[in-house]
């Protein structure tokens, strides 16, 4: 039995805040949410946010809401709504029946704005965007009051109603919160909370021509849903006073609390929507879920599991300081996850024929092979052996260097799960390439026969030429050149020309015949692989390499 780990992990700073809130009675329950804008595919960073919010809800027996922050009609697309829901479902976060759209609250947001006007806390301003910027001041200079700041409540109510009724052009008037133009926090200098925008919205159509700004809308969405802890990333830290102002002035009972944490960044990995869009448009990648990308859809297609992503975000931890994590840590997590769970089968990626001269021509032996030597629970399978096999080209050398223990003229190796063979000859084509290796085998050395006569230093894998399934295998490297960094001097991506290698002529043992898309395996000695979810068919099997077997990454204890 495995020794139980005794590490009682200390709580992260968000859990500490929640504990305190519950203890002091600020809240009697925990309610979190994940609020993406439906303007792109989710990536590994979002996975952290999803699993954090969902995990906290579970830990505190609370609730987790799914909410699309679709208050900005310019950028949102319905296609993203579906991809985002698929990704979150796949990650295992469950919003039950609480799927919300911020645009469903437009009416309440409008009423909230009217309430602020009635309290003398908001006013309609005629300054242009450019003028508003000038009046706002800088980090070192205070702002100036707008000449429209002291309009009467009645006038503001009328003008705001006119805004809603489409009487103004885009940009002609805005509604601003009346806070403090000399605040040291620029976000508090009478921020715009509603703008005129004659645009169709994917949910509300042409019903509205005024739209709330994010900083006004978000706290209202949280308050309406009775969210207790509104968790966001660090760039919103300076906006928190405004968040608090909005929920206070609107007099919500038990207003939500905003908590910020540091975004997850991966070193030398492309996550920016702008870059990925360009890669897709330029045809450099095969869509938003190309296995070289780190969108959640791409990670899934590559073969990462929800469990491995969960392990990864847990290892990264939650913090207040920005840092960047190595991709190798993600690879470590998928190896850990698949190691004992998946069968280890034999696949030859760069084949060369091996003929056993003294093995009977028509004979076939079926060997009983462990599916996973480290995990007997996965059972056994039958693997066919005959006179003609394929082995990997790199397992043979005409003139081996020192310490090369695999096949070379005169040397004996073990064929994994089968016999010892000795190389007696090899044939080259007219270009000098080795095309066929001849061996003899020793029938005494059959695996599992208890043979102890002699030992060999090398063990290589193989497949039966007659029984093997031909397949396409795709190997990946980082889409950008790691050595030289992510970007060129001109700001373009520094692409790695070797990010994709397609091997069309691979041979895999016949046990993969009943594979389904997304099934995962270890191919012994070469890595973990996944049947491609789009391109795999029984007639044309396609496997993606998730990760190779070895890594330099070590988990620091
Ligand atoms: P954009 O750059 O277009 O604003 P975004 O990445 O901020 O996109 P949102 O849809 O606004 O996308 O994000 C949804 C949630 O995911 C937010 O709560 C945001 O803070 C969180 N999030 C976004 N990127 C990361 C990241 N790298 N690490 C952790 N959380 C993130
Ligand atoms: Mg955003």
């Amino acid at each position: 039995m495995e020794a139980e780990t005794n590490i009682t992990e200390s709580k992260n700073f968000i859990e500490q805040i929640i504990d305190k809130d519950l203890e002091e009675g600020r809240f009697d329950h925990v309610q979190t949410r994940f609020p993406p804008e439906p303007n792109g595919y989710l990536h590994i960073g979002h996975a952290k946010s999803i699993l954090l919010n969902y995990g906290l809800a579970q830990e505190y027996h609370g609730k987790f809401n799914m909410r699309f922050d679709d208050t900005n009609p310019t950028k949102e697309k319905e296609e993203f709504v579906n991809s985002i829901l698929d990704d979150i479902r796949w990650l295992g976060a469950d919003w039950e029946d609480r799927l919300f759209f911020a645009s469903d609250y437009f009416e309440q947001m409008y009423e909230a704005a009217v309430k602020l006007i009635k309290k003398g806390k908001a006013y309609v301003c005629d300054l242009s965007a450019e003028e508003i910027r000038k009046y706002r001041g800088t980090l070192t200079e205070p702002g100036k009051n707008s000449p429209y700041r002291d309009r009467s409540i009645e006038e503001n109510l009328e003008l705001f109603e006119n805004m809603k009724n489409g009487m103004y052009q885009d940009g002609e008037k805005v509604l601003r919160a009346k806070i403090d133009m000399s605040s040291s926090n620029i976000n508090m200098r009478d921020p715009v909370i509603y703008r005129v925008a004659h645009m169709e919205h994917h949910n509300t159509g042409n019903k509205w021509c005024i739209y709330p700004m994010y900083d006004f809308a978000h706290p209202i969405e949280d308050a309406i849903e009775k969210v207790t802890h509104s968790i966001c990333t660090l760039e919103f830290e300076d906006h928190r006073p405004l968040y608090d102002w909005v929920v206070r002035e609107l007099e919500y009972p038990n207003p939500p609390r905003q908590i910020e944490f540091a975004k997850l960044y991966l070193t030398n990995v492309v996550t920016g929507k702008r870059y990925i869009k360009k890669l897709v448009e330029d045809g450099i990648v095969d869509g938003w879920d190309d296995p070289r990308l780190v969108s959640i859809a791409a990670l899934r297609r590559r073969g990462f599991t929800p469990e491995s992503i969960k392990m990864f975000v847990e290892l990264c931890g939650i913090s207040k300081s920005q840092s960047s994590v190595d991709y190798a840590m993600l690879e470590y997590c998928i190896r850990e996850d698949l190691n004992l769970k998946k069968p280890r089968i034999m696949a030859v990626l760069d084949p060369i024929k091996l003929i056993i001269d003294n093995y009977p021509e028509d004979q076939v032996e079926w060997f009983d092979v462990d599916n996973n030597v480290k995990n007997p629970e996965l059972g056994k399978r039958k693997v066919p052996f005959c006179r003609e096999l394929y082995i990997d080209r790199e397992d043979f050398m005409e003139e081996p260097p020192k310490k090369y223990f695999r096949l070379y003229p005169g040397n004996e190796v073990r064929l994994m799960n089968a016999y010892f063979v000795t190389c007696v000859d090899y044939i080259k084509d007219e270009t000098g390439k080795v095309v066929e290796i001849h061996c003899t085998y020793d029938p005494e050395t059959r695996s599992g026969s208890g043979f102890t006569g002699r030992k060999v230093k090398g063990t290589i894998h193989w497949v039966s030429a007659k029984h093997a399934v031909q397949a396409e295998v795709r190997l990946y490297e980082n889409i950008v050149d790691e050595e030289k960094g992510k970007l060129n001097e001109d700001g373009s991506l520094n692409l790695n020309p070797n990010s994709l290698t397609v091997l069309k002529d691979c041979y895999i043992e016949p046990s993969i015949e009943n594979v389904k898309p997304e099934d995962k395996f270890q191919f012994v000695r070469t890595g973990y692989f996944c049947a491609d979810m789009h391109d795999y068919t029984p007639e044309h099997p396609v496997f993606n390499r998730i990760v190779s077997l070895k890594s330099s990454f070590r988990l620091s204890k």
Side-chain angles (χ1 to χ4, degrees), residues 109-122:
M109 290 175 190
Y110 176 78
E111 279 158 20
V114 168
K115 176 164 181 164
L116 289 184
I117 295 173
K118 286 185 177 159
K119 288 178 77 174
K121 297 285 183 173

Side-chain angles (χ1 to χ4, degrees), residues 364-367 382-386 389 462-464 467-468 509-510:
V364 179
E365 284 178 86
W366 290 85
F367 292 119
K382 300 256 185 223
V383 177
F385 182 84
C386 61
L389 312 173
W462 51 275
V463 294
S464 159
H467 303 89
E509 53 164 273

Side-chain angles (χ1 to χ4, degrees), residues 237-281:
E237 195 164 21
D238 291 343
H239 298 241
R240 192 184 341 130
L242 179 53
Y243 185 102
D244 290 341
W245 184 91
V246 171
V247 293
R248 190 174 60 243
E249 292 301 337
L250 292 173
E251 300 163 49
Y252 290 109
N254 301 102
R257 175 207 282 287
Q258 174 180 305
I259 305 171
E260 312 85 19
F261 72 101
K263 275 194 175 178
L264 169 62
Y265 287 105
L266 287 175
T267 314
N268 279 331
V269 168
V270 183
T271 49
K273 275 174 208 152
R274 189 160 56 94
Y275 293 115
I276 294 177
K277 195 155 170 274
K278 183 146 171 44
L279 290 173
V280 173
E281 281 166 2

